[in-house]
């Protein structure tokens, strides 16, 4: 026993255990948080799953310890089950192994674990934290508004909700607690059967954590944050955008093609539309054709990320000749872009995005407005916020048609409407930058979290 403990004072603990969901969009921000905490003197242990494994030899992670979450489900189950069913099964399977691993780690590290920070979808960690009386924080990689919707949904009955939603009047009604979200905006699709999804929301929102860590800034989502704070009664640490805390840390799905930066150097300021559907989105070949034609007809240059395998039934090498011709005249295709640098390049005037949360934060940080083409999950909710709340985006709904694409690009890059959106995006950029500077809301939230962790659990005054 150390001197401080003998005197009844808690010993400062140094090790933080991170348990990410190993999907690209979840992994990067939690690793950025880990890096920011390591710069404050904490040691970091990361439990990795079987997908998107981190390059552990990268200098960004020097001093990090990487361990495996053992007992993972085989990949074939991912094909067979809906995403939410897969996650629930995975959670059940991992609980006992994780308990054992943390028990061993406590012994090896002389009891030195300050807390466990786990992705909200890795809820099996909660039981282990309780068992060993360790503080734990739920990490949410998506927006606070999405989290607030989950909390709201977790209280609903699936059958009743589905019946009520048959009435178009209900669909258009604003959810009173979550203004301006309408019932039809609630992110319920794309995860699998509604009942299982609501059950996962209930599990995720059990108040087992010492707090929730969110990759957002209060200037973007203050009402969602305060509503959740009231509902859950645990502290919310809105300390994003996390890439501003640890910019260099970025897990890359594929090798970045930096040639596109040279190409951007040759384009006029604010003229290029950058297109990326994140790490999971895919397109039909007919949509690729319509997009290529619409982009070409808009007369604006375009930088287009097409990941291998992201076109259903086709590969980049075998794109139709018509697409290749149009791209070679006005565009540039990469398999993976250095996205932050692209968005910060003076030639980029707009971002055609699937509205993943990381992409939104990265684009706002550079003051770049959007064409919103969401695919699944909470992306539709994000698109609604971009268009109607922050007013820095144009939604492109329905079938992809070349005429619609051309008009959307012109509205954003050429018209006055786009210039106004850019002005608002630049205002948000200033606000978000202020939030991470000394004294800003995200800066303070991070500082409070660090103080809480350094103080030890019993003496801490949590940030509210
Ligand atoms: O060429 C590229 C394309 C993407 N990125 C990066 O990849 C990340 C993509 O993240 P995000 O925009 O959040 O999209 P997804 O990968 O689709 O993220 C998943 O996770 C997000 C966080 O929970 C959710 O908001 C999304 O809906 C979900 O699909 C970002 O950091 C991008 O900078 C690159 O570096 N280069």
């Amino acid at each position: 026993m150390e001197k401080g403990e003998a005197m009844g004072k808690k010993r400062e603990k140094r090790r933080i255990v991170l348990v990410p969901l190993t999907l690209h969009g979840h992994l990067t921000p939690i690793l950025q948080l880990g890096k920011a905490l390591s710069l404050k003197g904490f040691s970091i242990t990361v439990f990795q799953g079987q997908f998107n494994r981190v390059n552990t030899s990268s200098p960004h992670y020097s001093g990090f310890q990487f361990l495996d979450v053992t007992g993972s489900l085989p990949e074939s189950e991912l094909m067979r089950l809906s995403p939410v069913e897969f996650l629930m099964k995975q959670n059940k399977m991992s609980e006992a192994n994780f308990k054992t691993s943390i028990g061993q780690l406590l012994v090896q590290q002389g009891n030195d674990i300050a807390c466990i920070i786990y992705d909200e979808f890795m809820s099996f960690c909660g039981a282990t934290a309780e068992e060993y009386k360790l503080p734990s924080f739920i990490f949410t990689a998506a927006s606070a508004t999405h989290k607030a919707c989950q909390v709201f949904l977790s209280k609903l009955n699936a059958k009743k909700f589905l019946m009520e939603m048959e009435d178009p009047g209900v669909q258009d009604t604003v959810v009173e607690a979550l203004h301006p979200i309408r019932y039809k905006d609630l992110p319920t699709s794309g995860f699998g059967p509604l009942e299982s999804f609501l059950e996962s929301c209930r599990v995720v929102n059990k108040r087992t954590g010492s707090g929730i860590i969110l990759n957002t800034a209060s200037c973007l989502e203050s009402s969602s944050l305060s509503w959740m704070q009231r509902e859950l009664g645990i502290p919310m640490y809105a300390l994003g955008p996390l890439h501003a805390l640890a910019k260099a840390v970025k897990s890359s799905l594929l090798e970045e093609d930096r040639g596109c930066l040279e190409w951007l150097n040759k384009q006029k300021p604010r003229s290029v539309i950058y297109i990326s559907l994140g790490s999971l989105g895919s397109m039909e070949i007919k949509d690729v054709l319509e997009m290529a034609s619409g982009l070409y007809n808009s007369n604006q240059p375009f930088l287009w990320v097409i990941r291998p395998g992201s076109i259903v039934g086709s590969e980049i090498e075998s794109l139709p000749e018509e697409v290749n011709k149009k791209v070679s005249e006005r565009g540039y295709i990469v398999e993976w872009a250095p996205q932050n640098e692209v968005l910060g390049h003076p030639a980029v005037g707009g971002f055609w995005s699937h509205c993943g949360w990381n992409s939104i934060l990265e684009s706002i940080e550079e003051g770049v407005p959007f064409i919103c083409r969401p695919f699944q999950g909470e992306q539709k909710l994000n698109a609604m916020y971009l268009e109607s709340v922050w007013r820095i985006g144009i939604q492109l709904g329905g079938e992809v048609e070349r005429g619609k694409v051309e008009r959307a690009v012109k509205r954003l890059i050429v018209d006055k409407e786009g210039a106004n959106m850019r002005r608002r995006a630049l205002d948000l950029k200033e606000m978000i930058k202020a939030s991470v500077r000394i004294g800003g809301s995200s800066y303070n939230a991070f500082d409070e979290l660090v103080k809480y962790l350094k103080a030890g659990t019993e003496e801490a005054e949590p940030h509210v």
Side-chain angles (χ1 to χ4, degrees), residues 113-125:
I113 298 184
C115 78
I116 302 178
I117 300 177
Y118 60 95
D119 189 284
E120 59 184 343
F121 293 108
M122 308 302 265
S123 51
F124 63 87
C125 301

Side-chain angles (χ1 to χ4, degrees), residues 23-26 28-29 32 119-121 140-143 146 250-254 256 274-281 305-307 334-340 343 351 353-360 362 376-379 382:
L23 278 183
H24 182 74
H26 290 241
T28 299
Q32 286 164 339
D119 189 284
E120 59 184 343
F121 293 108
T140 178
S143 69
H146 174 243
K250 199 153 183 204
S251 60
S252 216
L253 256 196
L254 299 158
E256 289 173 351
Y274 167 62
I275 305 141
S276 159
L277 314 177
S279 61
L280 301 167
V305 179
I306 303 186
R307 296 184 336 272
V334 291
E335 295 189 355
W336 193 252
Q339 182 163 301
N340 297 68
L343 290 169
F351 184 5
S353 171
H354 70 309
C355 304
W357 186 241
N358 296 292
S359 292
I360 290 178
E362 290 162 13
Q376 60 183 10
E378 89 325 342
Q379 293 159 10
N382 295 342

Side-chain angles (χ1 to χ4, degrees), residues 169-408:
V170 170
Q171 291 177 24
D172 285 325
T173 305
V174 170
V175 181
E176 208 181 316
L178 301 175
H179 188 275
I181 296 166
R182 297 154 299 180
Y183 277 86
K184 68 178 177 196
D185 299 321
L186 288 168
T188 52
S189 61
F191 301 104
L194 186 64
E195 183 44 49
S196 310
F197 172 60
L198 297 191
E199 182 51 30
S200 77
C201 293
R202 280 173 213 125
V203 173
V204 162
N205 293 312
K206 263 208 244 152
R207 294 170 215 194
T208 48
S210 315
I212 300 185
I213 298 174
L214 299 111
N215 187 15
T216 190
S218 63
C219 62
L220 293 178
E221 304 186 274
S222 66
S223 62
S224 301
L225 285 163
S226 9
W227 181 79
M228 251 191 314
Q229 166 77 69
R230 286 196 300 277
E231 280 297 300
L232 296 178
I234 53 174
M236 302 286 138
Y237 295 87
L239 35 80
L242 280 163
H243 63 267
L245 280 183
K247 209 163 198 121
V249 177
K250 199 153 183 204
S251 60
S252 216
L253 256 196
L254 299 158
E255 199 177 330
E256 289 173 351
D257 183 340
R258 302 187 62 80
C260 62
L261 296 170
E262 294 287 311
W263 178 83
L264 282 174
N265 288 342
K266 295 186 200 123
Q267 311 305 321
K268 290 193 191 123
R270 302 278 162 249
S271 65
V272 175
I273 181 95
Y274 167 62
I275 305 141
S276 159
L277 314 177
S279 61
L280 301 167
S282 58
M283 295 169 287
E284 301 282 333
I285 188 74
K286 68 174 177 27
D287 293 345
V288 173
L289 206 63
E290 291 299 309
M291 276 172 81
S293 302
L295 289 164
Y296 180 85
N297 295 343
S298 75
N299 274 325
Q300 297 305 129
F302 52 94
L303 171 58
W304 195 349
V305 179
I306 303 186
R307 296 184 336 272
S310 67
I311 304 175
V312 183
S314 181
E315 279 308 329
I316 308 173
E317 299 75 37
S318 50
L319 285 176
E321 197 35 50
E322 190 187 340
V323 173
N324 285 332
K325 192 165 169 292
K326 286 176 170 148
V327 171
S328 66
E329 279 184 42
R330 274 204 241 303
Y332 195 95
I333 290 183
V334 291
E335 295 189 355
W336 193 252
Q339 182 163 301
N340 297 68
E341 283 168 82
V342 165
L343 290 169
H345 195 287
V348 172
F351 184 5
W352 171 318
S353 171
H354 70 309
C355 304
W357 186 241
N358 296 292
S359 292
I360 290 178
L361 291 175
E362 290 162 13
S363 199
I364 290 181
E365 219 208 345
E366 299 298 346
V368 177
F370 292 82
I371 290 176
C372 312
R373 178 88 187 153
F375 284 92
Q376 60 183 10
E378 89 325 342
Q379 293 159 10
K380 292 186 182 133
L381 180 69
N382 295 342
M384 189 279 266
Y385 256 65
L386 286 168
E387 187 180 59
S388 311
V389 178
W390 302 316
R391 295 167 53 228
I392 56 169
I394 295 167
Q395 288 217 51
L396 191 69
E399 290 286 305
V400 184
E401 288 160 12
R402 59 193 70 194
K404 278 181 6 189
V405 171
E406 178 187 341
R407 270 192 304 283

Side-chain angles (χ1 to χ4, degrees), residues 1-284:
M1 189 176 287
E2 300 213 342
K3 207 174 163 200
E5 284 179 303
M7 291 161 69
K9 191 173 181 291
K10 275 213 145 276
R11 177 166 61 103
E12 199 177 291
K13 298 196 175 174
R14 284 286 164 198
R15 182 155 302 273
I16 290 178
V17 173
L18 300 179
V19 188
L21 173 69
T22 45
L23 278 183
H24 182 74
H26 290 241
L27 195 53
T28 299
I30 202 168
L31 289 173
Q32 286 164 339
L33 174 65
K35 182 72 184 182
L37 288 168
S38 82
L39 294 173
K40 292 283 177 187
F42 291 99
S43 310
I44 306 295
T45 297
V46 183
F47 274 86
Q48 300 214 74
Q50 76 259 52
F51 308 116
N52 296 323
R53 292 173 69 81
V54 176
N55 172 9
T56 53
S57 57
S58 155
H60 297 319
Y61 310 123
S62 79
F64 280 37
Q65 176 189 31
F66 286 91
L67 300 174
D68 287 341
V69 173
T70 45
S72 299
L73 280 176
E75 215 168 330
S76 56
E77 288 291 90
L78 190 56
M79 304 294 149
R80 198 179 65 79
L81 299 169
S82 69
V84 79
E85 286 166 334
F86 179 85
L87 279 169
M88 287 179 81
K89 199 164 174 194
Q90 175 75 69
N91 267 291
K92 273 203 190 103
M93 266 189 70
S94 308
E95 194 167 312
N97 287 331
F98 186 64
K99 228 173 249 179
T100 310
S101 304
I102 291 293
Q104 288 165 351
L105 195 63
L106 279 165
V107 172
Q108 283 160 14
Q109 301 293 338
N111 222 14
D112 182 27
I113 298 184
C115 78
I116 302 178
I117 300 177
Y118 60 95
D119 189 284
E120 59 184 343
F121 293 108
M122 308 302 265
S123 51
F124 63 87
C125 301
T128 299
E130 265 184 73
E131 167 113 1
Y132 292 111
K133 303 206 169 9
L134 294 170
S136 65
F137 291 85
I138 297 164
F139 176 81
T140 178
S143 69
T145 304
H146 174 243
K147 185 85 199 141
C149 289
Q150 270 187 351
V151 173
F152 179 81
L153 285 164
S154 68
K155 297 181 179 153
L156 301 186
N157 172 289
K159 264 198 194 134
K160 191 161 171 273
F161 176 74
L162 286 173
M163 256 166 58
E164 286 173 358
M165 284 295 278
E166 281 171 19
D167 176 353
V170 170
Q171 291 177 24
D172 285 325
T173 305
V174 170
V175 181
E176 208 181 316
L178 301 175
H179 188 275
I181 296 166
R182 297 154 299 180
Y183 277 86
K184 68 178 177 196
D185 299 321
L186 288 168
T188 52
S189 61
F191 301 104
L194 186 64
E195 183 44 49
S196 310
F197 172 60
L198 297 191
E199 182 51 30
S200 77
C201 293
R202 280 173 213 125
V203 173
V204 162
N205 293 312
K206 263 208 244 152
R207 294 170 215 194
T208 48
S210 315
I212 300 185
I213 298 174
L214 299 111
N215 187 15
T216 190
S218 63
C219 62
L220 293 178
E221 304 186 274
S222 66
S223 62
S224 301
L225 285 163
S226 9
W227 181 79
M228 251 191 314
Q229 166 77 69
R230 286 196 300 277
E231 280 297 300
L232 296 178
I234 53 174
M236 302 286 138
Y237 295 87
L239 35 80
L242 280 163
H243 63 267
L245 280 183
K247 209 163 198 121
V249 177
K250 199 153 183 204
S251 60
S252 216
L253 256 196
L254 299 158
E255 199 177 330
E256 289 173 351
D257 183 340
R258 302 187 62 80
C260 62
L261 296 170
E262 294 287 311
W263 178 83
L264 282 174
N265 288 342
K266 295 186 200 123
Q267 311 305 321
K268 290 193 191 123
R270 302 278 162 249
S271 65
V272 175
I273 181 95
Y274 167 62
I275 305 141
S276 159
L277 314 177
S279 61
L280 301 167
S282 58
M283 295 169 287
E284 301 282 333

